[in-house]
């Protein structure tokens, strides 16, 4: 990675068809030169952020509050550029042994240090006094330090090392099998507490292990600066972004014993530094070319390796490799020549959470989550809420598609049905659906293939509460039974069901993702006291918030675009909206609407934030969050049911 300068702009430019659906969702800000984010894989769901100056931050699940996990600033080089605290890896048995490992450049001489530390207090904080140095690698120059470490599926610790710095690998270290620089290393670090035991041992199948000439620690050679790399959690393959020099950036699949070419090759091109070692030369190396590469056009300069996507929310197709460029902030899918997102970030790293969802780390102090945009009542899949009504007297849905302003009418349902639009089939388009109380049955017309299916779930008197409670980006069939104060949820992920006592007979269900973990939380609004009761999907903890009055209509939505539902009410008697923004806990009061209006919250302008909107007997009035403009449209008649009222964000 090249010089790590600060970049502060925030506008995100979207490119191409996919970019209409892929967005960066703010997750953390105000960090100090973050360079990596990872998890402990210990079942806690915590995320750990490495800051270059020597502090590791921890983020508890369902929270955006960060605290110190480890502070070793006194040990770490503070010269900036490419030195500092650069890597973090948790031992596969971290939950029981508390060991984790870091990679940093030493303050005294800039040497690469890989150390083991131990977490204390039930693994909630790292002990800075528990360090045991595992390996020390001298660095002849200040750049090309690598820095990434991780445990592979084989249980060994992999260490990515740059070529030692300067330019053109002046001492040809990357091709020297007796040097550790310019290599992927693999070792078995000690978990012994005894100082007399060796700090690590060598995996017996390392290509130069034992009497074979070459350094025992080497796994693969010929790398320039493998700044960020990762293991595919499904296949175990190691994918690396190797930073180029002046022409080519490359993505490699790293295999044992292979030679990835530097300094003989930059990407797939011969550098001319050692022409006899190139193809056609007198003594060519057995070069393994990159799987993807790109040149330095349009300001591109330094690849940031990413991850093979295996997430549960189907943000990308499973098996898709995601990576970016540090200088331009562009993010690519696989070998596509056009980026899916052009961000304003200096992308220092990517990271995965326990669900396999991908995050983008910006050196300027941010972490964003890559999401696939999914607006409520979005029947055409353009990530914008469509204007739509259900006419009970006819059993017909009338939909005005926001993507092209086209109109369609669909016969589906009967008088007495309750609209239950949601994305049940997981194609990121809202499906037409109804709940028939007399039959206790959901009837669904899937947008993916126009397939019809029904689910017997509930009974007369139940309130349908369909939403994504299990986090797989598909709506679960669910009801709230007021007579019992019980929620009945059928998980789409595995067909299991959940019965949860939460609420009383007079409560209004207000399910929403209040903690921003991608799972809908069970929640109710108690009109008699104006109180919101929320059951966190992360911790199963209970929260009560006094906000509103008995005459208010709950109208939750993500109005500030932070990925968490905001508590919000529409007060008919005043025509006012009252809201607590989850991003900063601030209060917003907005005059919009009048008595007898119905709130129809949705993201109508497609900016990733829900818009304030009301339905007035066939008229729609909206306040667009993107530019604070007002719009009005006539669509429907007074007896219609406005669909966004039933597909709550």
């Amino acid at each position: 990675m090249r010089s790590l300068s600060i970049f502060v702009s925030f506008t995100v430019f979207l490119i191409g068809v996919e970019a209409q659906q892929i967005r960066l969702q703010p997750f953390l800000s105000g960090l100090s030169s973050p360079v990596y984010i990872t998890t402990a894989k210990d079942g806690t769901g915590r995320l750990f952020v490495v800051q270059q100056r020597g502090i590791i931050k921890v983020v508890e699940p369902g929270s955006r509050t960060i605290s110190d996990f480890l502070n070793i600033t006194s040990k770490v080089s503070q010269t900036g550029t490419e030195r500092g605290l650069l890597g973090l890896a948790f031992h596969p048995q971290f939950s029981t042994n508390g060991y984790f490992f870091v990679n940093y450049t030493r303050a005294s001489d800039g040497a690469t240090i890989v150390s083991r530390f131990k977490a204390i207090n039930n693994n909630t904080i790292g002990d800075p006094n528990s360090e045991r140095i595992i390996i020390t690698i001298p660095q002849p120059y200040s750049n090309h330090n690598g820095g990434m470490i991780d445990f592979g599926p084989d249980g060994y610790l992999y260490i990515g090392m740059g070529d030692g710095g300067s330019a053109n690998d002046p001492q040809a270290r990357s091709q020297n099998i007796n040097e550790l620089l310019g290599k992927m290393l693999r070792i078995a670090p000690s978990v012994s507490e005894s100082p007399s035991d060796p700090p690590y041992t060598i995996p017996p199948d390392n290509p130069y292990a034992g009497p074979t000439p070459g350094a025992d620690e080497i796994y693969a050679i010929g790398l320039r600066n493998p700044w960020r790399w990762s293991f595919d959690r499904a296949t175990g393959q190691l994918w690396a972004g190797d930073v180029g020099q002046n022409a080519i950036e490359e993505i490699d699949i790293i295999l044992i014993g292979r030679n990835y070419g530097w300094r003989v090759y930059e990407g797939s091109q011969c550098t001319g530094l050692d022409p006899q070692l190139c193809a056609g030369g007198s003594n060519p190396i057995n070069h393994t070319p990159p799987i993807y590469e790109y040149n330095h056009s349009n300001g591109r300069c330094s690849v940031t390796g990413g991850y093979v996507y295996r997430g549960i929310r189907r943000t990308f197709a499973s098996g898709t490799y995601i990576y970016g460029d540090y200088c331009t902030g562009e993010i690519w899918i696989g070998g596509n020549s056009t980026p899916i997102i052009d961000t304003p970030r200096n992308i220092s790293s990517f990271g995965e959470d326990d669900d396999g969802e991908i995050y983008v780390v910006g050196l300027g102090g941010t972490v964003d989550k890559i999401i696939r945009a999914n607006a409520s009542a979005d029947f055409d899949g353009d990530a914008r809420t469509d204007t739509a009504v259900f006419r009970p007297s006819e059993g017909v849905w009338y939909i005005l598609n926001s993507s092209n302003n086209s109109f369609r009418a669909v016969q589906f349902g009967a008088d007495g049905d309750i609209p239950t639009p949601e994305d049940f089939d997981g194609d990121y388009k809202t499906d037409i659906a109804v709940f028939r109380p007399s039959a206790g049955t959901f009837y669904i017309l899937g947008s993916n293939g126009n397939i019809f299916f029904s689910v017997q779930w509930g009974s007369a008197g139940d309130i349908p509460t369909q939403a994504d409670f299990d986090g797989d980006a598909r709506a679960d069939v669910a009801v709230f039974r007021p007579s019992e104060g019980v929620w009945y949820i059928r998980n789409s992920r595995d067909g299991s069901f959940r019965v949860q006592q939460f609420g009383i007979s007079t409560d209004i269900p207000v399910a929403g993702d209040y903690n921003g973990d991608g799972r809908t939380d069970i929640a109710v609004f108690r009109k008699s006291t104006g109180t919101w009761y929320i059951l966190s999907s992360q911790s199963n903890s209970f929260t009560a918030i006094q906000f509103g009055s008995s005459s208010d209509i709950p109208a939750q939505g993500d109005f500030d675009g932070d990925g968490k539902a905001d508590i919000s009410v529409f007060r008919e008697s005043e025509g006012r909206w009252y809201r607590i923004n989850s991003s900063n806990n601030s209060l917003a009061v907005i005059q919009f609407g009048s008595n007898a209006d119905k709130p129809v919250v949705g993201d109508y302008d497609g900016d990733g934030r829900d818009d304030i909107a009301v339905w007035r007997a066939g008229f729609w009035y909206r306040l667009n969050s993107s530019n604070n403009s007002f719009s009005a449209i006539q669509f429907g008649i007074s007896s219609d049911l406005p669909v966004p009222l039933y597909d709550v964000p």
Side-chain angles (χ1 to χ4, degrees):
M1 190 173 67
R2 289 182 169 80
S3 177
L4 305 183
S5 58
I6 302 299
F7 195 88
V8 296
S9 177
F10 184 66
T11 304
V12 175
F13 300 95
L14 305 179
I15 300 174
V17 176
E18 281 291 326
Q20 295 177 7
Q21 302 164 341
I22 302 300
R23 291 191 178 130
L24 295 191
Q25 182 183 86
F27 183 71
L28 297 173
S29 60
L31 298 165
S32 175
S33 300
V35 293
Y36 186 49
I37 185 169
T38 190
T39 73
K41 302 179 181 67
D42 61 351
T44 65
R46 293 176 295 174
L47 287 165
F48 298 82
V49 181
V50 176
Q51 297 188 142
Q52 189 180 8
R53 301 293 183 182
I55 297 177
I56 298 173
K57 297 286 188 179
V58 61
V59 188
E60 296 297 327
S63 168
R64 305 292 170 85
T65 302
I66 59 176
S67 58
D68 285 2
F69 178 73
L70 181 74
N71 186 332
I72 55 170
T73 52
S74 62
K75 302 175 183 290
V76 173
S77 171
Q78 300 294 317
T79 59
T81 63
E82 297 183 28
R83 289 178 168 175
L85 177 58
L86 305 177
L88 168 66
F90 291 86
H91 192 273
Q93 281 79 52
F94 171 74
S95 61
T96 55
N97 65 27
Y99 289 131
F100 63 98
F101 297 77
V102 301
N103 182 328
Y104 65 90
T105 52
R106 187 162 54 192
S108 58
D109 59 1
T112 287
I113 305 294
V114 176
S115 287
R116 187 192 78 192
F117 287 84
K118 188 174 180 64
I120 56 177
N121 298 340
N122 295 319
N123 289 347
T124 58
I125 190 169
D127 179 4
N129 299 312
S130 64
E131 182 179 25
R132 183 183 187 188
I133 294 177
I134 300 299
I135 190 170
T136 301
I137 303 174
Q139 291 283 0
Y141 303 99
S142 64
N143 57 340
H144 302 183
N145 300 290
M148 180 80 184
I149 57 175
D150 201 5
F151 283 91
D154 53 12
Y156 296 128
L157 182 66
Y158 289 69
I159 305 167
M161 293 302 303
D163 64 7
S166 188
N168 295 317
D169 190 6
Q171 283 78 44
R173 290 183 167 93
S174 291
Q175 292 296 318
N176 186 343
I177 62 172
N178 296 303
E179 288 264 7
L180 298 185
L181 296 172
K183 313 295 190 300
M184 183 66 69
L185 310 179
R186 183 176 68 159
I187 62 174
S190 172
V191 291
S192 170
E193 295 284 356
S194 173
S196 62
D197 289 337
Y200 66 90
T201 57
I202 300 298
D205 61 336
N206 274 8
Y208 307 107
T212 304
D216 292 352
E217 295 87 351
I218 292 175
Y219 182 80
I221 74 171
L223 298 168
R224 183 176 182 273
N225 192 25
W227 164 244
R228 286 293 175 250
W229 44 266
S230 63
F231 291 98
D232 181 343
R233 60 169 60 189
T235 68
Q237 279 188 325
L238 198 170
W239 292 67
D242 192 16
V243 179
Q245 182 153 289
N246 296 316
I248 301 294
E249 303 299 313
E250 67 181 89
I251 300 294
D252 300 300
I253 294 180
I254 306 295
L255 301 173
I256 189 168
R258 296 291 182 90
N259 185 343
Y260 291 89
W262 179 252
R263 72 176 192 171
V264 181
Y265 290 89
E266 182 180 4
S268 59
Q269 297 183 7
C270 184
T271 63
L273 296 171
D274 301 288
Q276 75 281 5
L277 300 180
C278 279
S282 59
N283 187 28
I285 62 172
N286 188 13
H287 169 227
T288 299
I291 188 169
Y292 307 131
E293 63 179 33
Y294 65 90
N295 62 35
H296 283 193
S297 61
N298 301 316
R300 297 159 186 158
C301 80
S302 182
V303 67
T304 301
Y307 288 82
V308 175
Y309 181 75
R310 302 291 181 184
I312 66 172
R313 297 192 63 80
R314 298 184 307 285
T315 306
F316 303 98
S318 182
T320 301
Y321 183 67
I322 313 300
Y323 62 103
D325 187 86
Y326 168 78
C327 294
T328 63
E330 294 167 301
I331 297 174
W332 287 273
I333 290 178
N336 289 353
S337 59
T338 301
I340 55 163
I341 312 178
D342 184 1
T343 80
R345 307 299 192 208
N346 284 130
I347 300 174
S348 58
S349 188
F350 293 86
E352 275 184 320
D353 62 19
D354 285 345
D355 288 335
E357 298 304 315
I358 297 179
Y359 296 73
V360 180
V361 181
L363 190 73
T366 59
V367 175
D368 301 293
K369 186 176 183 178
I370 302 180
I371 65 166
R372 189 177 174 110
N374 187 26
S376 60
D378 177 18
F379 296 94
D380 53 8
D382 68 344
R384 291 184 292 172
T385 299
D386 300 316
T387 302
V389 296
F390 172 61
R391 190 162 295 167
S393 61
E394 302 173 357
V396 174
W397 296 63
Y398 296 95
I399 300 169
L400 186 63
N401 293 315
S402 56
S403 58
N404 56 13
N405 213 35
S406 63
F407 163 80
R408 69 179 172 129
V410 180
Q411 177 80 46
F412 196 83
D415 201 0
D417 289 349
I418 301 172
T420 55
E422 253 289 2
D423 182 12
F424 293 93
D425 55 14
D427 66 347
Y428 288 91
K429 295 181 183 178
T430 299
D431 305 315
I432 290 173
V434 297
F435 175 67
R436 190 160 295 164
S438 60
T441 301
F442 285 80
Y443 297 96
I444 300 164
L445 185 63
S447 56
N448 188 2
N450 218 32
I451 297 171
F452 165 77
F453 59 99
S454 63
V455 181
Q456 173 76 42
W457 194 259
S459 62
D462 290 349
I463 300 173
T465 56
Q466 69 283 352
D468 182 15
F469 294 94
D470 57 9
D472 69 345
R474 291 181 293 173
D476 307 311
V477 171
V479 297
F480 172 60
R481 189 162 295 166
S483 60
E484 302 172 357
V486 174
W487 295 65
Y488 295 91
I489 301 169
R490 182 179 180 272
N491 294 314
S492 57
R493 186 187 299 185
D494 56 10
S496 63
F497 71 90
R498 175 183 176 191
V499 179
Q500 179 68 55
Q501 178 81 45
F502 197 81
I504 60 176
S505 62
T506 56
D507 289 346
I508 299 173
V510 286
D513 185 7
Y514 295 93
N515 58 24
D517 69 344
R519 297 172 175 84
T520 300
D521 306 308
I522 289 173
V524 296
F525 175 63
R526 191 160 296 167
K527 290 177 71 73
S528 59
T529 60
T531 304
W532 298 65
Y533 296 94
I534 302 168
L535 186 64
S536 171
S537 57
Q538 279 278 6
S539 60
N540 215 34
S541 60
F542 161 78
T543 303
I545 300 173
Q546 174 77 42
F547 193 79
S549 66
S550 60
S551 61
D552 291 344
I553 301 174
Q556 69 274 24
D558 182 12
F559 297 96
D560 52 12
D562 67 346
K564 295 189 286 184
D566 305 312
I567 290 175
S568 177
V569 297
F570 173 59
R571 190 161 295 168
E572 286 183 284
S573 60
E574 302 174 357
R576 279 199 184 97
W577 296 67
Y578 295 87
R579 181 174 82 236
I580 302 176
N581 293 312
S582 56
S583 57
N584 56 14
N585 212 35
S586 62
L587 172 68
V589 181
I590 299 173
Q591 180 79 45
F592 195 84
S594 65
N595 196 24
D597 286 351
K598 302 300 180 188
V600 284
V601 174
D603 185 7
Y604 295 91
D605 54 10
D607 68 345
R609 294 177 293 169
D610 284 315
D611 307 310
I612 287 175
V614 295
W615 151 268
R616 187 178 302 162
F619 285 85
W620 301 70
Y621 300 95
R622 301 196 298 259
L623 186 62
N624 296 312
S625 57
S626 57
N627 56 14
N628 212 36
S629 64
F630 165 79
S631 60
I633 184 172
Q634 182 170 6
F635 192 81
I637 60 177
S638 59
S639 59
D640 289 344
L641 303 178
V643 170
L645 179 63
Y646 297 89
D647 186 6
V648 178

